């Protein structure tokens, strides 16, 4: 996705606020003057990016959803940098859904930085230009003689200064500048970009002030739970609603037919009560539902694995890529390896379960929702309720994790339907078991790989039969593999095909979608080939990156740079001095515009106990790391989440339903298991990009490769804990 371009007339409106001060909005037109405000003041849409008060206080609106990635701090930093203000004078507030005035208002795909890097800076620069123009008018001097220091316009020749707050009235009369021609700062002059700034919500989080969706309350609000069929796609045959309604504190109970959309409103039974604990108790102890489970009840994890084993012996039903003659090259290779790799379904498991507060009145609905895609949520709610999308208002709340789960808005559709039926404000809150058993899962997958290395240690042949899920031409979300995925294009004889299995389980994007699974398979198998050929695993990868291939979207030189750097920082060449049972593994991956190479050192005891000792991470995310604190947090968090997924997490399907329910069955990485992580960024002459996804994928194969180096066990199937790592 290329950065947004915003024209002058689309960009900004400047006006004096009725109570004094200057407001700057973006992506909208000037409004007609407000007669009640007087000749010197004009009306202003509330969802502006910048407000400057008479006392010089600056309020910046963070337009994108905050899921812990730090965007609520980072985007305002870009504006503040070009506006030239002290960060201590800035207050940041969360903007609600405003599709008319905000562009790119979502959280996903590590898109915020590349999308908003220039537009947010231009907002700040244009506001600064307006203030300079206003000061020039007040003093009667050319704009060329003026500059700014933080929070003030300066006329160096006379030594005069005007604080921004004193220019709000004059600035309101200044025409909007041409956004395309507004000069941006020389990066050498950055004061805020590149500075580690703590998250603007830290104080509220630490002191427990209401901030998250789960904290929302409304006058007269009731609480709801929603029981869905444990088998995906199942519907309600009957429910004992009379018994439920007879319980003290229960106000409403009704069946919802659903829309048949697995990522929308699923069929179920809603219970609305005075308190959430009442609704949940009645659901568990009183509610009885007879379900029509449907065809997905015949599907299971064991069945998928058995079917994949059958399909491996057949020709792939669809060829994705065929370069050269892989079979002939394999037959002539000096070293040949065949291996089957697999990985399970995974849940997102955000610490804050899905929740939404909704208030329906007079054909309009107002919602308080922790959603990554508020625009998509509004569209789904409008479709579900049969109302115009402009009748849906969404207030964005901070999210207690998302990892891709909150890209989908099924729980918004549920809350909206329940609120309309109940006729009062309703907070819908899922349990942990709801969250685990009614997710849109990272799909499992199966790969049969064959590779060949010649006598000089060069990879010459690669075959991959990928067994995935879907039907016909449809792949399960984030299960598909691109024909350009590395090492495609770098191996002269390359074959990739796929076969699909039917699936009734809903799937969706998990952090670093596709890459989180494929990096494990490809980088682990590359390691197998290097070891079989007796070539250093780092050098084997560097030799492969040196191959002249077609443009795959991957810049081989950038990847080679981070790979060399992580090898140097981790003392890769000294790994032979490690004690028995300790080893280092390496992996790299390119995803979401980010280049990351990682080395893991791990120790495996003779009885098979795993300890991750240390991790080294080197990334290339372009020319600037906007907020180093958030960058380190994102990189470390990505690595730790990768370890969590790899170590023990697995979603098991039996009879079309998910077995695991809570964290005792679907464990997160414990603090005692988390290793020290060294983070280093290589600056390059490329536009900055995001960090939510790219640090995660290499962590999993680097760990698995370290396990092999430590104890000789090759992990080909996740989770790791299902493998016997003992050695003698």
């Amino acid at each position: 996705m290329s950065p947004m371009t915003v024209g002058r007339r689309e960009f900004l409106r400047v006006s004096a606020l009725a109570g004094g001060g200057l407001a700057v909005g973006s992506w909208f037109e000037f409004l007609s003057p407000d007669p009640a405000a007087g000749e010197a003041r004009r009306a202003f849409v509330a969802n502006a990016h910048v407000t400057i008060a008479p006392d010089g206080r600056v309020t910046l609106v963070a337009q994108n959803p905050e899921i812990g990635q730090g965007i609520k701090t980072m985007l305002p930093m870009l504006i503040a940098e070009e506006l030239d203000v002290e960060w201590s004078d800035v207050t940041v507030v969360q903007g609600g859904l405003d599709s008319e005035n905000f562009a790119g208002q979502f959280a996903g795909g590590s898109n915020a930085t590349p999308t908003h890097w220039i537009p947010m800076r231009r907002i700040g620069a244009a506001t600064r230009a307006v203030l300079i123009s206003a000061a020039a008018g007040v003093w009667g001097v050319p704009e060329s003689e003026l500059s700014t220091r933080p929070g003030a316009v300066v006329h160096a020749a006379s030594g005069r200064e005007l604080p921004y707050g004193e220019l709000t009235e004059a600035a309101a009369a200044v025409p909007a500048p041409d956004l395309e021609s507004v000069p941006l700062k020389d990066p050498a002059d950055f004061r805020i970009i590149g500075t580690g700034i703590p998250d603007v919500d830290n104080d509220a989080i630490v002191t427990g002030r209401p901030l998250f969706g789960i904290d929302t309350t409304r006058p007269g609000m009731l609480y709801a739970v929603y029981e869905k069929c444990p088998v995906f796609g199942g519907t309600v045959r009957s429910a004992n609603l009379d018994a439920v309604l007879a319980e003290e504190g229960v106000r409403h109970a009704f069946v919802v037919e659903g829309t048949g959309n697995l990522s929308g409103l699923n069929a179920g039974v809603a219970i609305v009560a005075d308190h959430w604990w009442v609704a949940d108790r009645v659901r568990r102890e009183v509610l009885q539902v007879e379900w029509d489970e449907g065809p997905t009840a015949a599907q299971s994890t064991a069945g998928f694995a058995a079917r994949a084993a059958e399909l491996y012996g057949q020709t792939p039903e669809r060829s994705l890529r065929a370069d050269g003659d892989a079979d002939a090259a394999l037959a002539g290779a000096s070293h040949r390896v065949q291996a089957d790799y697999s990985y399970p379904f995974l849940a997102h498991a955000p610490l804050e379960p899905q929740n939404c507060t909704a208030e329906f009145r007079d054909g309009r609905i107002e919602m308080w929702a922790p959603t990554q895609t508020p625009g998509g949520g509004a569209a789904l709610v409008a479709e579900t309720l049969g109302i115009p999308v402009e009748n849906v208002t969404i207030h964005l709340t901070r999210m207690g994790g998302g990892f891709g789960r909150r890209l989908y808005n099924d729980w918004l559709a549920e809350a909206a339907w329940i609120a309309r039926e109940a006729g009062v404000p309703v907070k819908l809150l899922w349990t942990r078991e709801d969250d685990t058993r009614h997710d849109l899962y990272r799909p499992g997958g199966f790969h049969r790989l064959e590779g060949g290395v010649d006598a000089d240690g060069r990879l010459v042949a690669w075959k991959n039969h990928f067994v995935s899920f879907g039907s016909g031409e449809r792949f399960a979300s984030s299960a598909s593999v691109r024909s350009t995925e590395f090492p495609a294009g770098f191996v002269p004889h390359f074959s990739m095909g796929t076969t699909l299995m039917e699936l009734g389980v809903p799937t969706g994007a998990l952090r670093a979608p596709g890459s989180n699974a494929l990096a494990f398979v490809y980088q682990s198998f590359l390691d197998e080939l290097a070891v079989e050929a007796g070539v250093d695993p780092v050098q084997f990868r560097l030799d492969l990156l040196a191959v002249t291939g077609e443009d795959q979207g991957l810049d081989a030189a950038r990847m080679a740079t981070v790979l060399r750097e992580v090898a140097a920082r981790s003392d890769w060449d000294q790994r032979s001095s490690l004690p028995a049972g300790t080893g280092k593994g390496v992996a790299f991956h390119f995803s979401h515009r980010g280049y990351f190479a990682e080395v893991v050192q791990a120790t495996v005891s003779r009885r098979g106990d795993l300890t991750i000792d240390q991790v080294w991470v080197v990334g290339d995310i372009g020319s600037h790391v906007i907020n180093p604190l958030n960058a380190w947090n994102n990189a470390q968090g990505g690595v730790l989440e990768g370890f969590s997924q790899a170590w023990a997490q697995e979603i098991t399907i039996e009879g079309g339903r998910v077995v695991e329910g809570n964290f005792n069955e679907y464990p997160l990485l414990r603090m005692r298991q988390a290793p020290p992580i060294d983070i280093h960024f290589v600056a390059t002459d490329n536009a900055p990009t995001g960090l939510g996804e790219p640090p995660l994928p290499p962590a999993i194969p680097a760990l698995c490769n370290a396990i092999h180096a430590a104890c000789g066990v090759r992990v080909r199937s996740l989770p790791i804990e299902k493998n016997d790592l003992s050695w003698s």
Side-chain angles (χ1 to χ4, degrees):
M1 179 184 297
S2 61
M4 295 181 300
T5 57
V6 184
R8 173 181 175 181
R9 294 194 61 199
E10 298 171 296
F11 167 60
L12 63 82
R13 169 175 54 242
V14 183
S15 67
L17 298 175
L22 174 70
V24 182
S26 62
W27 290 292
F28 46 73
E29 301 286 346
F30 279 99
L31 295 182
S32 300
D34 179 3
E39 287 294 327
R41 298 188 177 105
R42 289 185 273 187
F44 186 70
V45 175
N47 286 333
H49 281 98
V50 184
T51 300
I52 301 176
D55 63 358
R57 194 72 201 160
V58 178
T59 300
L60 302 179
V61 174
Q63 66 167 57
N64 280 33
E66 173 61 64
I67 52 175
Q69 83 281 43
I71 211 68
K72 188 175 177 180
T73 304
M74 189 275 283
L75 290 184
M77 285 175 65
L78 300 179
I79 300 173
E81 179 68 76
E82 297 289 349
L83 178 56
D84 198 8
V85 293
E86 295 289 2
W87 186 254
S88 59
D89 291 332
V90 170
T91 298
V92 177
V93 297
Q94 178 66 61
L97 173 62
D98 190 343
S99 301
E100 180 180 353
N101 298 326
F102 294 147
Q105 197 177 14
F106 65 93
S110 298
N111 281 306
T113 297
T115 299
H116 297 295
W117 165 247
I118 297 300
M120 291 295 117
R121 290 175 62 197
R122 283 176 172 164
I123 289 170
T127 307
R128 176 177 173 271
V130 167
L131 292 162
I132 288 175
S133 181
V138 170
W139 285 327
V141 299
E143 292 182 21
S144 60
E145 294 182 6
L146 303 181
S147 60
T148 61
R149 68 162 180 79
V153 180
V154 177
H155 185 229
S158 64
R160 289 177 291 180
E161 291 189 3
L162 270 175
Y164 287 172
E166 296 182 15
L167 288 167
T168 56
E169 292 286 343
V174 175
D178 180 2
L179 198 63
E180 299 294 329
S181 63
V182 172
L184 299 178
K185 273 189 177 182
D186 185 324
D189 297 327
F190 285 164
R191 297 183 307 104
I192 295 175
I193 293 174
T195 302
I197 293 180
D199 192 297
V200 295
D201 286 336
N202 278 354
D203 184 65
I205 293 170
V206 171
T207 57
R209 295 202 300 273
L211 186 64
F212 296 89
I214 203 169
D215 299 323
T216 305
T217 59
R218 298 293 297 161
M221 185 178 77
L222 298 179
Y223 297 81
V225 297
Y226 193 55
E227 178 77 359
K228 294 184 286 290
C229 183
V231 177
F232 299 102
T235 56
V236 179
R237 283 181 176 162
S238 64
N240 61 336
L241 298 182
D242 289 341
V244 170
L245 287 166
E247 292 293 312
E248 183 178 357
V250 174
R251 301 303 177 189
H252 305 275
F254 47 85
V255 171
V256 178
E257 297 296 335
T259 60
N261 176 7
L262 290 181
S263 59
L265 182 63
N266 285 276
V269 179
I271 301 174
V272 182
D274 293 335
H275 304 284
W276 184 84
W277 295 106
V278 171
D280 184 57
R281 180 192 65 78
V282 172
R283 174 194 187 184
R284 289 182 288 105
E285 298 179 3
V286 179
L287 177 65
Q288 296 179 10
V289 185
E290 181 183 356
W291 302 102
D292 181 351
E293 295 184 346
T296 302
Q299 297 183 353
S300 68
T301 295
F304 295 146
R307 179 60 178 152
E310 294 175 4
L311 294 172
Y312 278 155
Q314 304 175 16
T315 301
E317 67 180 20
R318 181 184 179 197
S319 174
L320 299 179
R321 186 178 182 124
D323 299 337
D325 189 336
D327 288 326
L330 284 167
S334 299
H335 307 278
R336 183 173 177 177
V337 177
Q338 177 178 303
D340 293 344
Y341 278 80
S342 64
Y343 42 85
F345 285 74
L346 291 178
H348 295 83
L351 290 184
E352 179 193 27
Q354 310 315 315
N355 64 89
C356 181
T357 301
E359 189 169 341
F360 186 87
R361 185 184 296 111
D362 300 328
R364 307 184 67 88
I365 190 160
E366 190 171 5
M367 312 186 80
W368 290 260
T371 171
Q372 292 179 237
T373 53
L380 177 64
V381 167
E383 179 184 7
T384 302
L385 299 185
I387 62 176
V389 70
E390 56 267 24
N391 286 6
V392 181
T393 298
I394 293 183
H395 304 282
L396 287 173
T397 65
R398 189 181 177 102
M399 286 166 261
F403 317 114
R405 176 60 180 95
R406 289 181 161 104
L407 293 170
Y408 312 95
N409 294 287
D410 43 316
W411 34 280
L412 267 72
E414 293 172 3
W417 189 276
I418 294 169
R420 185 181 67 175
E421 294 300 303
V424 295
V426 171
K427 179 194 284 187
L428 171 69
L429 175 60
W430 287 18
T431 64
R432 173 59 53 196
E433 287 76 12
D434 289 333
D435 209 49
T436 305
R437 292 176 175 150
H438 293 283
D439 203 341
L440 284 87
Y441 303 92
R442 194 287 300 276
F446 307 87
H447 296 254
R448 171 156 290 181
L449 296 163
E450 293 182 79
V453 180
D454 68 13
D456 295 324
R458 296 174 301 182
L459 180 60
V460 294
W462 179 285
K463 287 185 69 176
N464 179 14
H465 185 180
F466 175 38
V467 179
S468 183
F469 297 95
S471 59
E473 295 298 310
R474 182 185 65 81
F475 284 79
S477 174
S478 68
S480 59
V481 59
R482 297 178 304 161
S483 63
T484 58
E485 194 81 40
F486 185 85
F490 291 83
V491 182
H493 304 281
F494 188 95
S495 173
M496 181 187 301
T498 188
T499 303
L500 303 179
M501 297 184 287
E502 291 291 334
L503 182 68
V505 177
T507 61
L510 176 66
R511 188 176 187 177
S515 299
N516 54 46
L518 298 178
F520 157 65
V521 174
Y522 293 174
Q523 289 288 318
S524 296
F525 191 57
L526 282 174
D527 216 67
E528 285 204 61
L529 291 165
V531 171
E532 176 66 22
V535 181
D536 175 270
V538 168
Q539 190 59 50
F540 188 76
R541 288 168 170 82
L542 288 172
D543 291 343
L544 191 55
L545 288 167
V547 173
T548 301
E550 64 185 74
D551 180 12
Q552 304 297 324
L554 178 152
D555 186 325
R558 293 177 71 180
M559 188 61 80
T561 296
V562 297
L563 180 57
R564 291 190 182 95
E565 183 66 22
V566 80
R569 296 179 70 86
S570 64
D571 292 327
W572 176 262
D573 290 340
Q574 305 302 315
R575 66 193 186 284
S576 60
S577 63
L578 294 172
T582 298
K584 288 180 179 177
V586 65
F588 69 72
H589 198 74
F590 168 68
S591 73
H592 297 83
R593 308 178 184 89
Y595 294 78
F596 276 81
E598 300 172 15
V599 169
V600 172
Q601 179 177 307
T603 297
V604 181
S605 71
R606 292 186 182 276
R607 65 179 186 179
D609 296 324
L610 171 65
T611 301
I612 306 175
D613 305 317
Q614 174 81 31
V615 183
W616 295 265
V617 177
V618 175
D620 173 358
I621 55 170
S623 58
H624 292 87
V625 177
I626 297 168
N627 186 346
L629 282 181
N630 277 338
W632 296 330
N633 288 342
N634 271 286
Q636 291 174 339
V639 169
L640 294 177
E641 186 176 354
F643 291 162
S644 200
Q645 293 174 6
W647 201 318
Q649 290 183 349
E650 178 181 26
I651 288 296
T652 307
I653 310 298
E654 290 183 6
R657 67 196 71 201
V658 170
V659 174
E660 293 75 19
N662 213 314
F663 288 135
N664 62 315
E665 300 168 305
Y666 193 78
L668 303 181
L669 195 74
R670 300 282 184 163
M671 291 182 68
R672 67 175 181 270
Q673 297 171 306
I677 303 175
D678 177 80
I679 307 291
H680 178 72
F681 295 104
V682 175
T684 56
D685 293 329
N686 297 279
T689 189
L691 260 171
E693 270 83 10
L696 186 153
I700 298 173
L703 172 58
C704 293
N705 294 338
I707 290 171
H708 180 267
C711 66
V713 176
R714 180 64 67 181
V715 176
R716 298 191 182 99
S717 179
L718 297 177
I720 293 169
E721 72 169 11
K722 286 197 167 183
N723 295 262
D724 181 4
L725 304 184
S726 60
W727 58 282
S728 58

